Amino acid sequence: MPQDPMDFEWSYWIEWGRERILWLLAGHLLVSQVSRLLVEKYKPWCLMVYGMAACWLLLGIKGFAVILLHAAISFAVAQFQLSLLTWLCSLILLSTLRIPAVEEAKRKWYDTENEYYLLLFTVSVRCLFCTSFSLEYCWHGPAQKPSHSFLWMLAYVFYYPTFHNGPLMNFDEFSKQMRRQEALSLKTNLSILIMGIVRIVFWWCLAELMIHFMYIHALYSSAPPLEAASYWALGGLALAQVLFFYVKYLVLYGVPALLLQMDGLKPPALPCCVSLMHSFTKMWRSFDVGLHRFLVRYIYVPMGGSQSSLLGTLFSTALTFAFVSYWHGGQSYLWYWGALNWLGVIVENGVKRILSISLIQELI
């Protein structure tokens, strides 16, 4: 039976995975384990060189140069140790991805549209990694500067398991764990690898079954079936779509998470099942854990967060969702999506505050 072709993200990454990315990830695993056994002290630099070589192979010298240039500019701006300036630099670099003339120039570098999109997705994710490193550099004192060198930035930015699509891991977590890796036995590592592969294959098969038999996205792309469906059917379609999205990211994040474990690092938790969630707040905290940690550490808390006044909390939450919408592409529907999520979080927190009042609790 033919598969539903309307989910671009799944089809795109599966195609790239089969062609090259899975082989390059296997190469990373081999380099990681060999360097751990022979030159453990230099393991971060071995992985950095491998990541740079993999980037060059997939994106070409021009794509590699773009990512290296972004990292160099971010590092240079971070020398001023001004968080606001660092954020301004990050937003400007991110905005260059949406300049039509720049887009056209980059498209000419490649033979196919898929290759250009790989560069676009990779640079978008690398922008978050550069931002994380630069802000950590701004916040740490002179004594910690050796651990925030340009070499460490390159090791972080070109770490291959998280290179194209994440998951996101903040630099402070990455550097601490890379320096203090858990020394696991060969038997334990092999057990983790086998069990991880079994789980990922199961999730992948489940996602393939869903996309071959359910046709959720094809139904969403056509108005007549939706107009004819009952409200119960529409609710079922919506649930089916988010469940597929959940299973899809178990695969897309599960593969790099397994390699992080094999490298002795602790990856962000995989997404929680959406059927177990009943609130916007829990969804944002537990679906993409890496992105949530990034947003909280670098936007929400520095802007005041829950410790500020009601107006300050509303503003810091709005700014967080505004960045998420802009980073995902900044199209009008993304601004609506971000605004609705912001409204959902605000309403939930407002209801929680009301229910925490002793008089209300007594009435309940």
Side-chain angles (χ1 to χ4, degrees), residues 339-350:
L340 288 171
N341 275 275
W342 173 76
L343 187 61
V345 168
I346 292 303
V347 169
E348 283 178 359
N349 288 330

Side-chain angles (χ1 to χ4, degrees), residues 312-332:
T313 302
L314 290 172
F315 176 72
S316 54
T317 309
L319 204 60
T320 302
F321 281 111
F323 176 76
V324 171
S325 301
Y326 183 70
W327 177 71
H328 275 90
Q331 291 87 353
S332 58

Side-chain angles (χ1 to χ4, degrees), residues 37-275:
L37 292 171
L38 301 180
V39 285
E40 189 171 5
K41 184 180 177 182
Y42 301 103
K43 181 180 172 181
W45 320 127
C46 294
L47 297 181
M48 177 192 75
V49 171
Y50 180 84
M52 294 172 91
C55 172
W56 194 316
L57 178 67
L58 276 188
L59 301 177
I61 187 170
K62 291 178 180 177
F64 171 77
V66 166
I67 294 171
L68 191 61
L69 181 63
H70 275 229
I73 292 171
S74 297
F75 185 78
V77 172
Q79 303 307 302
F80 293 98
Q81 294 188 277
L82 296 171
S83 298
L84 185 60
L85 191 61
T86 291
W87 265 116
L88 184 62
C89 171
S90 298
L91 291 173
I92 290 172
L93 290 174
L94 199 56
S95 69
T96 61
L97 302 179
R98 300 176 182 91
I99 299 172
V102 176
E103 285 183 317
E104 284 306 311
K106 288 177 181 175
R107 274 189 168 92
K108 292 176 183 176
W109 298 347
Y110 302 106
D111 297 327
T112 64
E113 197 78 351
N114 275 0
E115 290 175 294
Y116 164 72
Y117 280 129
L118 185 64
L119 173 67
L120 184 65
F121 297 147
T122 304
V123 174
S124 296
V125 176
R126 292 307 94 198
C127 277
L128 297 185
F129 279 69
C130 289
T131 303
S132 175
F133 175 90
S134 299
L135 289 171
E136 295 294 341
Y137 186 95
C138 292
W139 295 346
H140 287 78
Q144 292 147 316
K145 286 296 182 262
S147 61
H148 292 73
S149 64
F150 186 60
L151 203 59
W152 267 107
M153 184 184 196
L154 294 180
Y156 174 57
V157 169
F158 285 97
Y159 181 68
Y160 195 69
T162 61
F163 191 68
H164 298 293
N165 196 40
L168 185 57
M169 190 176 187
N170 293 341
F171 177 72
D172 61 322
E173 298 170 357
F174 174 84
S175 60
K176 286 174 187 174
Q177 292 179 31
M178 190 59 84
R179 286 183 177 85
R180 304 171 190 168
Q181 296 175 44
E182 296 178 11
L184 300 176
S185 65
L186 182 63
K187 185 179 178 181
T188 305
N189 266 342
L190 193 60
S191 174
I192 291 171
L193 181 63
I194 293 170
M195 289 303 297
I197 290 173
V198 169
R199 279 195 297 267
I200 290 164
V201 169
F202 172 76
W203 295 329
W204 176 76
C205 290
L206 182 58
E208 285 291 322
L209 284 172
M210 293 174 79
I211 210 164
H212 275 83
F213 291 100
M214 296 180 73
Y215 292 90
I216 313 156
H217 303 89
L219 286 169
Y220 270 113
S221 64
S222 179
L226 297 178
E227 290 170 353
S230 67
Y231 290 125
W232 282 104
L234 290 174
L237 279 171
L239 179 60
Q241 188 181 41
V242 295
L243 283 171
F244 176 76
F245 191 76
Y246 159 65
V247 174
K248 174 170 67 176
Y249 269 86
L250 284 179
V251 178
L252 297 182
Y253 279 177
V255 174
L258 176 59
L259 290 174
L260 281 161
Q261 282 184 285
M262 296 300 295
D263 286 344
L265 309 179
K266 185 179 180 182
L270 291 178
C272 277
C273 180
V274 290
S275 295

